[in-house]
Amino acid sequence: MTVTEAPRNCRPDSLKIAPAGDWRYYSPPPDRIGMGFPMAPELNEPQIEAVTHASGPLLVFAGAGSGKTRVITYRVFHLLAEHQVPPYRILTVTFTNKAAGELRERLRRLTGEGVTNDLWVGTFHAVCARFLRRYHDAVGLERSFSIYDESDQRAVVTRVLRELGLDERRLPPKIVLSRIHAEKREGRGPDAVELDSTFDAALRDVYQRYQAALVAANAVDFEDLILHVMRLAEEPEGIVGRELRSRFAHVLVDEFQDTNLIQYRLLRALAATTQNLCVVGDDDQSIYRWRGADVRLIRGFRRDFPQATVVKLEQNYRSTGHIVTAALGVIAPSATREPKRLWTAAEAGAPVRVVAAGDERDEAAFVVRTIQQELGRNTDARQIAVFYRIHAQSRVIEEALRGERIPYQVIGGMKFFERAEVKDLLGYLRLVDNPRSDADLMRVINVPARGIGQKTVQRLLEVATGRGSAAYDAIDAVLRDGGLGSAAKSKLVAFRDLVEGLRHAATDTPPHAMARLVLERTGYRDALREEDTAESDARLENIEELVGSIVEYEAESVDTGEPATLRGYLERVSLVAAVDGMKDVPCISLMTVHGAKGLEFTSVILTGMEEEVFPYRGVGGDHPEELDEERRLAYVAVTRARERLAIVYAAQRTLFGQTRYLAPSRFLADLPRSAVVHERASARAPIAGRFDRGAVGLADGGCRSPAPGSGERIVDPEFFDDLPPTDDTSGIRPGRRVFHRRFGEGTVEGIESGAKPIVVARFEGFGVRKILAEFLELA
DNA sequence: CCGTCTACCATTTTT
DNA sequence: TGGTAGACGG
């Protein structure tokens, strides 16, 4: 969704410009007249049809790079300006918060400030959270409910499994949890689980208790957000249901191909009154099957809405000809597709480079060279991206980039919010907002150590489960007849006093100040300071960064006019996507192909194009459907590139500590010959381009690859020998130039001693930073 | 009750 | 390979 200004490669003469008469639709609202409203935006015929469609269901098949975001933006604008629909009666559901922000921003430019703030724009989860804050009563929650992330959810499941005396090895929490989520996504409660096996019977019990535990903790998981609101919206009689069904005059959905069943049901309910449901998507880009996305929903939309108007956007404005041709080759073999033909009026441009590498280091070296060439021809670093199928591939590339001092950012991984100290602080803050949140209580009750041990916590949980209440609410009962010693009791009381004190303070303390108060009163900061190790210093730094992010949130709130609340911040943190963390700093981006969805770059390097890696295969054979999804994923990857695309495959790769020979991906064989050139990354690479349909993707096709799944290991003993050492800090002293992964090059101003030295350095564009020496390298 | 060590685990993609 | 959960010793 980084579509920004006019499409890059569109030639004016090839654009179908709408007849002049049509522009009356875009007459600006009175307060915008004379403020630079673009009077003749270039839209082609189908785009205009989608934008001006007045009422009733609308299905837009939007091919890759076909101007989808423009269509949504202008459609919303058209509804506001031409049909005078009040902004608060238009709901637009996007896939990420970033996409929502961009849509808002573009509309702001068209309509002005006030109107945009009243629009409903957000992800399914964010929108539902907002509804639930309002209708919490109807689903048995308090307004202050918490949103549990994956690890919180797992903690709940583990606790439930133990309470039920079930074997965690036979029922791994992870598997159980994914089954529960699958049930929820199909709209089934615990009682509706179909019993096909003893596993299902156990699952039903666990699901039941899991749900009860969430309710007791005044918490929801991600699926609950949707499911609760969907149920409310479908409720035929209730006031809430009626309100939800008539609230919006228009509902628009982006990336509809990745919608799951309960999301779809929710949409249908929300649009029930007017039937003004506009869905935009591309079945060729459906890549979230594992998360419940169901391509059949977009493919079958016409069955559910026979009166739907269907528009197909087939002209690609993003990529040059060879890239579009390559993309079409990759997607063509896909089993069942909505018929459509993507085309471009752009020139052919550079052919797609298909590059053979010896191994992943060879590949990384190629990546680095290619990036340097791009930078050499003045390509904006922000317009360069490296894609991989799985995160585990990123490390080697990162090392190579660091070696050449190329600043980069890794999108996703979301490591920051997974750090213990970050989760601890957030845990306290969530507890302040919602003391009943058991997962948070258990997390922080003894952090820093305050003498509340296993036994006390165990007792607390037992009593809580017995009363069907949250642990926090069970403290009184435990004190009365929990059989605890007086020391344990007084410590428990002290903890509660601590939390109550914080809660009291929270009523008139801004969020960032609350964070500092927590750090102080809980002794968390002192404990870390006392520790005084490199690690504790790094933790303090992370905590400061978290506080900084709260300050940032507060500043943004001033812009949007929404009050900055602790709850608002916590909700935001819970619902961020990987790309939401993408910063607009001048450096190249590394990300998984999933993370690249909706983005575009001038130059893209797609790595790891080998069988087993892409298409990825874990245990289990290849289900045709899963293979199809991998193919669509490859299609997404290829279509992100505007002008230059290189696709790299390595003959040998080490992943998860295992080195194997891998055959080139079968998808390479689908690239039309006219659109590609073959190269070798180095002399260590196999002969380039020696594959055709017979050779690619098949173990017997002339590649020295062990049979898939044979488990054969081929380890190169010299492999790790010359990786750069990471802990060499000896050469750093004031005045020297150093390199940091995020900040790029800087000058050392001083060194603070400690268990591990901290370097004070000034970075261009980032100012003075204090950084542990181990994170720096000499430039 | 605390922290450290070890052995074991699995090992995609993420709201 | 690296993270995590559980056991063990202090």
Side-chain angles (χ1 to χ4, degrees):
Chain A
M1 243 85 21
T2 39
V3 179
T4 45
E5 305 312 318
R8 271 224 155 180
N9 301 306
C10 69
R11 297 147 142 196
D13 61 341
S14 67
L15 273 171
K16 295 169 186 164
I17 305 288
D22 279 318
W23 301 119
R24 67 190 151 81
Y25 288 114
Y26 303 102
S27 61
D31 64 310
R32 284 293 299 168
I33 289 173
M35 294 184 67
F37 173 70
M39 289 308 286
E42 291 163 339
L43 294 177
N44 62 33
E45 241 167 58
Q47 286 177 335
I48 289 168
E49 192 185 350
V51 166
T52 59
H53 172 81
S55 64
L58 172 65
L59 167 61
V60 180
F61 282 104
S66 63
K68 184 182 58 156
T69 309
R70 310 187 91 207
V71 165
I72 293 174
T73 310
Y74 279 111
R75 177 162 175 77
V76 172
F77 179 68
H78 180 78
L79 293 171
L80 292 168
E82 181 66 14
H83 295 281
Q84 267 85 53
V85 181
Y88 57 87
R89 295 209 64 208
I90 302 175
L91 167 68
T92 309
V93 181
T94 57
F95 200 72
T96 61
N97 296 299
K98 184 166 181 280
E102 278 166 10
L103 178 59
R104 269 225 158 79
E105 185 47 43
R106 298 178 81 181
L107 280 163
R108 189 165 289 143
R109 270 181 258 147
L110 291 177
T111 66
E113 199 69 32
V115 183
T116 324
N117 287 343
D118 290 342
L119 284 167
W120 281 69
V121 186
T123 63
F124 274 107
H125 295 89
V127 167
C128 286
R130 194 167 158 191
F131 277 130
L132 268 193
R133 295 283 176 211
R134 179 172 312 186
Y135 300 124
H136 57 96
D137 269 341
V139 297
L141 291 167
E142 285 176 51
R143 202 174 142 72
S144 59
F145 67 85
S146 300
I147 300 167
Y148 275 8
D149 68 15
E150 185 93 33
S151 72
D152 298 325
Q153 295 164 20
R154 196 141 69 219
V156 175
V157 168
T158 307
R159 179 179 159 195
V160 167
L161 287 173
R162 285 190 189 147
E163 279 173 9
L164 291 173
L166 294 166
D167 183 0
E168 281 171 53
R169 259 179 307 226
R170 293 189 75 89
L171 295 164
K174 222 177 148 180
I175 307 281
V176 173
L177 198 52
S178 75
R179 276 293 307 271
I180 290 175
H181 287 155
E183 294 296 324
K184 287 188 174 185
R185 284 194 296 258
E186 294 291 312
R188 288 192 288 271
D191 301 331
V193 173
E194 286 160 30
L195 297 174
D196 286 343
S197 64
T198 48
F199 179 88
D200 292 340
L203 178 73
R204 192 160 150 171
D205 292 341
V206 180
Y207 185 0
Q208 194 114 48
R209 296 285 287 266
Y210 169 80
Q211 206 53 35
L214 283 180
V215 171
N218 188 32
V220 297
D221 61 22
F222 293 128
E223 317 300 344
D224 277 346
L225 284 171
I226 316 283
L227 194 53
H228 281 316
V229 178
M230 180 207 85
R231 285 189 178 138
L232 290 176
E234 285 187 349
E235 184 59 53
E237 297 305 326
I239 298 172
V240 174
R242 282 198 201 127
E243 210 172 299
L244 281 170
R245 286 192 299 276
S246 57
R247 163 167 215 109
F248 296 111
H250 286 269
V251 176
L252 297 88
V253 195
D254 192 11
E255 308 278 15
F256 181 64
Q257 76 280 359
D258 284 319
T259 298
N260 67 34
L261 188 62
I262 51 173
Q263 291 169 335
Y264 181 57
R265 281 171 62 182
L266 172 63
L267 290 173
R268 275 203 309 203
L270 290 177
T273 306
T274 61
Q275 297 287 295
N276 290 334
L277 176 60
C278 165
V279 301
V280 183
D282 179 3
D283 55 329
D284 289 336
Q285 295 185 61
S286 175
I287 56 173
Y288 283 96
R289 210 177 89 96
W290 49 274
R291 214 171 82 186
D294 192 341
V295 216
R296 290 172 304 183
L297 295 174
I298 188 168
R299 288 180 179 152
F301 189 80
R302 276 171 289 205
R303 268 198 303 281
D304 283 2
F305 294 90
Q307 72 283 32
T309 302
V310 180
V311 175
K312 289 184 185 178
L313 308 179
E314 296 173 308
Q315 181 175 4
N316 174 297
Y317 293 105
R318 178 185 298 152
S319 309
T320 49
H322 283 320
I323 291 169
V324 172
T325 306
L328 289 173
V330 169
I331 198 63
S334 179
T336 46
R337 305 172 54 208
E338 171 72 22
K340 59 184 105 56
R341 42 176 255 285
L342 199 68
W343 63 283
T344 179
E347 60 201 37
V352 175
R353 302 166 72 190
V354 177
V355 183
D359 57 28
E360 68 273 22
R361 284 186 304 145
D362 204 18
E363 174 183 73
F366 171 81
V367 167
V368 167
R369 278 202 308 279
T370 307
I371 290 168
Q372 280 167 335
Q373 281 159 15
E374 285 288 352
L375 295 172
R377 61 196 283 185
N378 282 328
T379 307
D380 183 346
R382 271 169 285 225
Q383 287 302 327
I384 305 171
V386 182
F387 298 165
Y388 34 77
R389 177 66 182 80
I390 56 176
H391 279 301
Q393 291 169 252
S394 77
R395 199 169 70 235
V396 182
I397 299 170
E398 289 187 60
E399 277 164 3
L401 289 169
R402 276 201 297 269
E404 292 299 316
R405 329 267 176 232
I406 298 171
Y408 65 93
Q409 62 177 331
V410 180
I411 311 302
M414 284 262 67
K415 291 280 156 53
F416 182 73
F417 286 104
E418 285 165 21
R419 290 171 185 279
E421 61 275 18
V422 173
K423 297 198 77 165
D424 288 342
L425 178 51
L426 287 174
Y428 272 112
L429 292 174
R430 291 213 300 196
L431 206 57
V432 168
D433 188 44
N434 173 25
R436 287 169 57 192
S437 178
D438 287 353
D440 292 300
L441 179 121
M442 285 185 274
R443 169 156 207 107
V444 302
I445 194 166
N446 200 31
V447 180
R450 53 173 72 92
I452 303 179
Q454 282 287 311
K455 231 173 180 175
T456 310
V457 174
Q458 209 51 50
R459 199 70 202 103
L460 188 56
L461 288 181
E462 277 166 29
V463 173
T465 308
R467 317 162 70 232
S469 83
Y472 192 80
D473 295 338
I475 289 178
D476 263 332
V478 173
L479 291 173
R480 239 182 297 113
D481 42 35
L484 293 180
S486 62
K489 278 187 187 174
S490 69
K491 280 163 183 162
L492 210 47
V493 170
F495 176 73
R496 185 173 58 186
D497 288 347
L498 172 70
V499 174
E500 285 304 315
L502 288 167
R503 298 195 71 202
H504 183 72
T507 54
D508 57 356
T509 310
H512 79 273
M514 271 314 293
R516 294 199 190 284
L517 200 61
V518 165
L519 290 172
E520 228 140 87
R521 289 207 193 160
T522 61
Y524 200 95
R525 179 176 277 158
D526 286 341
L528 280 179
R529 280 196 182 133
E530 208 165 310
E531 211 181 300
D532 195 29
T533 61
E535 201 186 319
S536 66
D537 288 346
R539 290 191 171 177
L540 284 167
E541 206 179 298
N542 287 328
I543 281 171
E544 274 315 307
E545 198 168 332
L546 184 65
V547 176
S549 89
I550 302 177
V551 173
E552 224 169 87
Y553 159 77
E554 289 170 341
E556 277 171 39
S557 298
V558 175
D559 294 341
T560 59
E562 298 259 327
T565 62
L566 187 57
R567 188 172 299 161
Y569 174 75
L570 294 171
E571 183 164 307
R572 196 160 99 145
V573 171
S574 307
L575 298 177
V576 288
V579 278
D580 295 334
M582 192 165 162
K583 300 210 171 67
D584 192 25
V585 291
C587 61
I588 68 141
S589 299
L590 271 55
M591 65 189 80
T592 64
V593 180
H594 281 89
K597 176 180 167 177
L599 304 179
E600 59 180 15
F601 301 89
T602 300
S603 180
V604 167
I605 307 169
L606 172 58
T607 66
M609 213 53 184
E610 302 114 34
E611 286 293 300
E612 311 283 308
V613 178
F614 202 170
Y616 182 85
R617 255 170 321 176
V619 274
D622 22 9
H623 292 270
E625 284 146 357
E626 283 171 16
L627 194 59
D628 247 26
E629 178 136 322
E630 294 289 318
R631 182 174 289 289
R632 294 193 293 265
L633 196 55
Y635 176 73
V636 168
V638 170
T639 53
R640 300 306 97 195
R642 276 202 285 256
E643 295 174 26
R644 290 177 290 282
L645 171 65
I647 306 179
V648 195
Y649 63 97
Q652 186 190 55
R653 182 176 297 276
T654 304
L655 262 184
F656 305 120
Q658 207 187 53
T659 304
R660 290 183 299 171
Y661 283 108
L662 299 168
S665 169
R666 68 191 67 193
F667 300 143
L668 289 172
D670 298 317
L671 299 172
R673 286 200 177 155
S674 64
V676 304
V677 288
H678 290 280
E679 296 174 38
R680 295 170 80 193
S682 76
R684 289 155 60 208
I687 303 300
R690 292 248 4 234
F691 48 77
D692 49 38
R693 283 216 161 266
V696 174
L698 298 171
D700 59 357
C703 296
R704 294 156 299 143
S705 174
S710 70
E712 186 182 342
R713 284 173 69 125
I714 304 158
V715 181
D716 176 356
E718 288 166 40
F719 186 70
F720 295 100
D721 278 2
D722 50 6
L723 290 180
T726 52
D727 56 350
D728 179 7
T729 61
S730 54
I732 296 177
R733 45 187 67 95
R736 306 279 308 251
R737 299 282 287 171
V738 288
F739 176 79
H740 183 265
R741 181 189 135 165
R742 234 177 82 207
F743 305 135
E745 282 202 17
T747 306
V748 178
E749 300 202 329
I751 296 173
E752 295 175 2
S753 56
K756 280 210 173 174
I758 294 171
V759 176
V760 186
R762 180 182 294 279
F763 295 91
E764 291 81 3
F766 296 97
V768 176
R769 299 275 175 156
K770 287 186 182 182
I771 292 158
L772 280 180
E774 65 189 80
F775 297 134
L776 290 171
E777 286 166 47
L778 278 176

